[in-house]
Structures are given as structure tokens and as C-alpha cells.
Amino acid sequence: MSFEQYITPPIPVAMQDRLVKSKYPQFKTKILQGNVATWVGEIKPTDSSQTYLVEITMQTSKPPAIVILNPKLEIAKGRTRLPHVFPGNRLCLHYPNYKQWENTKSVADTIIPWTSLWLFYYELWLIDGKWHGGGKEPNKRRANAG
Amino acid sequence: MQLTYPLRVYLKEGSMSTQVFSEESLIIAIVESLSPTKAQYDLATSRYKTVAQWLADDEGKLGKAHPKLYSQGSFAIGTPNRPVAGNEFDFDFVCEAELHPFELLLLIKARLQQNGIYDAKVEMMNRCIRITYKNDFHIDILPAQPDYTSSLGCVLIPDRKLQRLISTNPKAYAHWFQGQCRGSMRKAFVEAHIEPAPHYVPAERKFVLQNSVQLMKRNRDLYFAKDPDSAPVSIILTTLAGALYESGNRTLPTLAQIVDEIKTQTQHSSQPFQIENPGNPGEILTEKWREDRSRYDAFVDWTNHFSDQIHQLTSIHGIHKKTELLQKMFGESVVNNAVEMNTRAIDEARKNNALNVRSSGVLTASSVGAVSRVAGNTFFGSEEEE
């Protein structure tokens, strides 16, 4: 718990919804109830890229969960699994210890651009099996960390 | 002696694209990877000047004829490619003097061999003298005699195999191509600029016609890799492209338009069409097609194949999928280089906190049309595999 939490309240889910829709009008709100919101929308990281249907679920008490609904994510040649995902293929876009995501931040300015960036590096990863986006890996002993 | 310089190809007035991984930025990066680097241009220019000066300083018959040297071929019109195998480029020059071309050929060779540096690397080819610089490039010097019975700039060059003189006009060809580059503005007055040997221009500032010609030549090289003798010669591809190009300032659509138009032309008749040298009317560039029908058929097959690839490219999505096809079209290392150039642009922007995103999700280094800056982030989650 950071000191900032005492002076900056979390952004209410309804406000997050407004910010997402104003910046990315292609996103639709599937759920907006209490502290929970789910959005679904299309993202295309570059003009040469595929268009991906993305689902973002957030609760003010937890980091958002991001899944790609379609197309089905492929595995690069010579690899057996996707890089930088959580179980269930939820994208892992930030390192908790760096506090890059907090519920005082706007999903529209963090999660959505990071999703685009992840998808960009994912397409490059499909070419050579290497992740060019940098990042950290959990300690091998703590397999479920993050 | 007069060092006559080649006609200058105007630089296109255009802005550098800050869009990365757009169709155009990938293609432009491919052309950039296909072309000689600035360092190679500079080196070639200095070697060209040395050769030109050496020939001019001759105190014998050659020097007394005041030979004029000017570039011709792909360097003169801004369409040189790296060769597919090996690293050697080809700089072509004309050495024009009032001497019989066969005699001029021998005089040039003798003069070059007087200079110790050239001794080991000077060869007589069918129409020119070749100076080979190890691991870099050749300079081919074509002896030419002005042909006053013909149009301005017309020259006679020697062909040792045929044992006769050939009439041609490299300056007029370069001038014609330069005009064609301007597309719909080709009727506008083009000032002939005098300047030293051709200089480096980044691909993003070249005319789309120039880029298209380079891509056509490269695709042809790959397609005919196992059978180079059947390949259509570069001047045919260049002339077709120049004649068929209409307008437009994006490379891939231009390439598509040109190749589709060539395909249409081949479908008009079962007979090979003729192409006249636009710089030298009367000179038929497609003689070989009449002599050997199979070469024309191979050209038609290549055109159809290339056209299919171009259309496929515009209909598939995904950097990985486009890259795979582009590698087949233009070569693996050239395309990998292009992908790297584009990736570096995103990485640099990200590092400098200058990466933005548009409402569609498209990443951009420009702030125009952006809705968010991409805040710094560190990917986490599952490990990368070794």
C-alpha cells in the first residue's frame, strides 16, 4: 500500500468506462456494475498487423485481466507456449513491483496501449521465436508469481 | 579535358514518414536495404574521379582526344541494386571521344594498365573495360564515339563478339527516365543539372518509379536464380516500368499498377511485343524475344507470378505473414533488415517516451492523431523459452 492511496482515490469504474470509450470508441462495454467493468474492442498494433478482438476485465481491487478473443494466438516455430502471459493466456503487461499499473491510473492510458504493444511484439515473436519487447521473468522457483 | 557529369535526378519533395510498419514503410526499408549505402556511393565516386582524372591526364592519343566521362545505367538513373550473390556492385561509365570505338577500347585499357593500381584488375569485356576492386565493385568503362548522323547524345559503342558498332544513347535514356519519374508532372520543364558522379539518396526520398524498378529487378533475380540466362534484362524492365508508370507517390501501389499493366500487355497477343529504346528510336530492346521465344514465355510467367505475389501481399495481415511473403519476393536478409529498421524506430520511440497510440490501437512515433502516449511498461508473466 503506497502513501499515494490516501490522497488519490481509485478511478471509479464508471469514469474508467468513459475514458476508454472516448479514446477508443470501437470498444463496447459488456459489463459495468458495481466495481466491475468488461470491455471488448478491436486493436490493430500497426497498419501491417492483424486486427485483434480484445477483452479487458477490471475490478478496482485487482489488476485488469486482458485476453485476446480472436484470432486464436499461435505459437512460434520452435516454441511451446506464449511468452509474457499468465495462466489462461491473460496478457502480462506490467511488472507489479514497478507499480506501472495502479487503480489510480486510467486503463485507456495504460492497459490498452500496452496491449497493442504486446500484440506488436507477439507478431515479431511469431517470426523468429524471440521476444523483442524486453521484460522480466518470474523467479523460476516461484512459478505462479506475478 | 572535360569531365562531363551525368544528368541529375531531382530529389522528391516529400516528408519522411513517421509511420512504422505501414505497408509503405516496410517496402521503403526493403528498397533501402537493396541499395548501395552512402559509404559505398562515396567510395565509388572517389574511385570514379581518380579513374577519370587518370584518363584525362594521358599525354598520348587518348588525352589529346579530350574524352568525356559520364555515368550510365542504373547508377545514372538511381536504380542500382546489390547483386544477389556476393557483394559486388556495378558502376557503368561512358568514355566518349572522337576516336573509333575499337581503338578507344584499346587506348583505355592501355592507359589503365600504365597505372600500377589497375594492372592486376583490368579486363577487356565484350563492350567495355572492367576495373575490378576486390570485394567492392566493378567500374565498367564503355568507349563511345559521338554519332553525328543521329540525334543528340547518340553514340557508337563497340561489340567485340558481333565485331561491329552499336548505336545507342545513354544520356537520352537517362533524361527520359528522369522525366517519367515525375509521373503526372512529366511535362513540366526538367532542368538538366550538372554534378559529379551519382550520389546517395535515401529510399524514402527517391521517386516511387525508381523504387519500383529496384523491386522488379530484385524479384526477377530471385525468380530466375537457377536460370539466369532466361531472365529479362534490366533495361527491358526499366523501360517498361518507365513507360507504364502513370502517377502516384506510394511505392507498392505503383509497383502493382506497373506489373498489372505489363501483364495486361502480354495478354493482348500471343506474340512478344516490341520495346523501342525511348532514348534511341530504332533500337529495339526486345530483339532476343524474337530470336528465342522461350525467353519471352519465361518473362510472361514471371510477370504473372510477381503480380500474384503483389496482390497476395495486400490481402494478408499480420507482420509475421507479410514478412514471410516479402522474404519470398525480395530475399530473406533484405527483408529481415527492413523489419529490424522498423522495429528499431518503435524501440527508440519507446525508450525516449515518445511512442504514442491512435484510437485504432496503431502504434506511432508521431503525435498527430494520437490519443495516448504509451506509458513505460515492463512485460512480465511466463518465462521466455530458451
Side-chain angles (χ1 to χ4, degrees):
Chain A
M1 292 245 274
S2 61
F3 178 71
E4 285 82 30
Q5 290 211 301
Y6 293 102
I7 52 171
T8 313
I11 298 179
V13 149
M15 173 70 98
Q16 291 278 17
D17 181 65
R18 278 202 290 280
L19 289 169
V20 166
K21 308 277 275 297
S22 77
K23 291 196 171 189
Y24 310 97
Q26 71 273 23
F27 271 75
K28 304 276 179 275
T29 312
K30 268 175 67 179
I31 296 171
L32 186 60
Q33 225 176 356
N35 281 336
V36 179
T38 300
W39 300 282
V40 174
E42 287 188 329
I43 285 184
K44 190 173 170 169
T46 73
D47 282 332
S48 295
S49 296
Q50 294 178 127
T51 301
Y52 297 88
L53 192 62
V54 176
E55 181 189 79
I56 301 172
T57 303
M58 77 161 293
Q59 294 175 247
T60 45
S61 49
K62 288 196 204 149
I66 307 102
V67 265
I68 309 301
L69 297 178
N70 79 64
K72 182 167 187 289
L73 295 179
E74 299 164 50
I75 308 295
K77 228 186 296 190
R79 301 298 187 206
T80 58
R81 53 185 163 78
L82 292 169
H84 296 292
V85 291
F86 292 122
N89 284 348
R90 288 172 296 127
L91 307 193
C92 187
L93 306 174
H94 60 98
Y95 182 53
N97 290 8
Y98 289 167
K99 296 205 186 302
Q100 290 159 344
W101 161 261
E102 287 175 302
N103 57 22
T104 50
K105 296 194 178 166
S106 146
V107 163
D109 288 333
T110 53
I111 301 297
I112 294 180
W114 294 341
T115 301
S116 183
L117 203 55
W118 189 98
L119 289 166
F120 165 65
Y121 287 117
Y122 157 74
E123 288 192 346
L124 292 184
W125 174 80
L126 285 177
I127 300 175
D128 63 5
K130 301 203 182 106
W131 185 261
H132 296 278
K136 274 181 123 59
E137 292 160 22
N139 188 304
K140 285 180 160 76
R141 272 181 284 145
R142 289 187 285 136
N144 292 320
Chain B
M1 114 136 196
Q2 247 175 11
L3 266 178
T4 310
Y5 304 113
L7 299 170
R8 174 185 174 160
V9 180
Y10 270 124
L11 295 179
K12 176 168 88 169
E13 261 109 32
S15 51
M16 188 159 67
S17 168
T18 45
Q19 273 296 71
V20 284
F21 282 104
S22 64
E23 192 178 75
E24 189 68 4
S25 75
L26 262 179
I27 279 286
I28 292 287
I30 288 171
V31 174
E32 185 68 28
S33 308
L34 276 178
S35 306
T37 61
K38 181 170 191 309
Q40 285 168 324
Y41 265 96
D42 290 344
L43 183 57
T45 300
S46 78
R47 284 174 171 169
Y48 154 77
K49 285 185 179 166
T50 307
V51 170
Q53 201 59 55
W54 179 248
L55 293 176
D57 290 346
D58 173 59
E59 286 171 356
K61 200 166 183 187
L62 174 64
K64 293 201 172 89
H66 303 295
K68 294 194 292 213
L69 231 77
Y70 49 91
S71 89
Q72 65 136 1
S74 59
F75 272 96
I77 61 174
T79 60
N81 272 359
R82 288 174 209 270
V84 180
N87 296 320
E88 293 186 15
F89 289 99
D90 218 330
F91 267 80
D92 293 335
F93 291 98
V94 176
C95 177
E96 190 181 307
E98 303 271 11
L99 288 166
H100 192 281
F102 278 107
E103 183 183 11
L104 187 49
L105 189 65
L106 293 167
L107 287 170
I108 293 171
K109 179 160 191 274
R111 174 62 178 167
L112 290 174
Q113 283 175 321
Q114 282 172 19
N115 183 323
I117 307 172
Y118 298 130
D119 220 19
K121 308 183 219 174
V122 175
E123 280 173 273
M124 187 174 295
M125 311 295 284
N126 184 36
R127 293 182 176 185
C128 63
I129 302 294
R130 171 165 294 176
I131 309 174
T132 302
Y133 297 86
K134 241 196 219 121
N135 295 331
D136 288 321
F137 44 73
H138 315 123
I139 287 184
D140 283 352
I141 304 177
L142 188 70
Q145 181 185 42
D147 182 359
Y148 297 114
T149 66
S150 207
S151 49
L152 190 63
C154 227
V155 291
L156 295 166
I157 60 173
D159 189 305
R160 290 169 60 226
K161 232 188 303 185
L162 296 174
Q163 276 297 301
R164 64 178 174 87
L165 301 178
I166 313 278
S167 176
T168 186
N169 197 336
K171 276 196 210 146
Y173 188 87
H175 197 164
W176 169 81
F177 188 83
Q178 181 182 344
Q180 298 305 95
C181 280
R182 295 165 72 81
S184 49
M185 282 174 50
R186 65 192 66 177
K187 295 217 168 46
F189 174 70
V190 175
E191 211 186 278
H193 249 60
I194 309 284
E195 70 160 71
H199 64 290
Y200 167 77
V201 177
E204 68 210 349
R205 284 198 281 133
K206 286 165 74 170
F207 288 102
V208 294
L209 177 56
Q210 291 172 307
N211 295 341
S212 298
V213 167
Q214 286 185 253
L215 294 167
M216 285 168 71
K217 293 196 295 184
R218 170 56 81 139
N219 187 274
R220 169 214 51 194
D221 288 346
L222 292 176
Y223 184 85
F224 288 99
K226 299 219 172 87
D227 183 20
D229 290 339
S230 298
V233 292
S234 297
I235 194 163
I236 288 181
L237 300 186
T238 308
T239 307
L240 276 171
L244 297 172
Y245 168 58
E246 292 186 348
S247 61
N249 57 5
R250 284 169 58 233
T251 304
L252 196 58
T254 295
L255 184 63
Q257 180 245 317
I258 290 170
V259 177
D260 281 347
E261 192 51 46
I262 296 177
K263 189 172 160 181
T264 305
Q265 294 285 328
T266 62
Q267 289 165 347
H268 277 163
S269 155
S270 59
Q271 292 307 310
F273 52 81
Q274 278 203 143
I275 303 171
E276 215 176 36
N277 185 336
N280 189 29
E283 183 188 343
I284 306 299
L285 301 173
T286 45
E287 277 302 327
K288 291 223 161 69
W289 285 353
R290 307 231 152 223
E291 294 162 8
D292 181 359
R293 176 56 195 249
S294 70
R295 288 193 68 164
Y296 175 71
D297 293 337
F299 165 75
V300 173
D301 287 342
W302 167 73
T303 303
N304 290 331
H305 183 255
F306 193 23
S307 171
D308 288 343
Q309 285 179 320
I310 294 171
H311 287 291
Q312 223 192 322
L313 187 61
T314 51
S315 68
I316 62 176
H317 303 282
I319 296 173
H320 50 299
K321 293 187 187 154
K322 284 198 195 271
T323 298
E324 202 184 331
L325 178 53
L326 285 168
Q327 285 173 344
K328 293 197 185 107
M329 291 170 78
F330 304 117
E332 233 180 84
S333 70
V334 152
V335 171
N336 289 344
N337 207 28
V339 169
E340 213 186 280
M341 283 165 67
N342 276 262
T343 304
R344 225 181 302 141
I346 288 194
D347 286 344
E348 284 295 310
R350 192 181 173 207
K351 217 191 312 172
N352 297 328
N353 237 357
L355 186 62
N356 298 314
V357 72
R358 300 191 167 170
S359 66
S360 55
V362 166
L363 300 160
T364 171
S366 164
S367 51
V368 173
V371 296
S372 274
R373 192 176 48 80
V374 182
N377 78 313
T378 307
F379 295 107
F380 192 50
S382 56
E383 289 148 26
E384 300 169 32
E385 295 174 89
E386 287 305 307

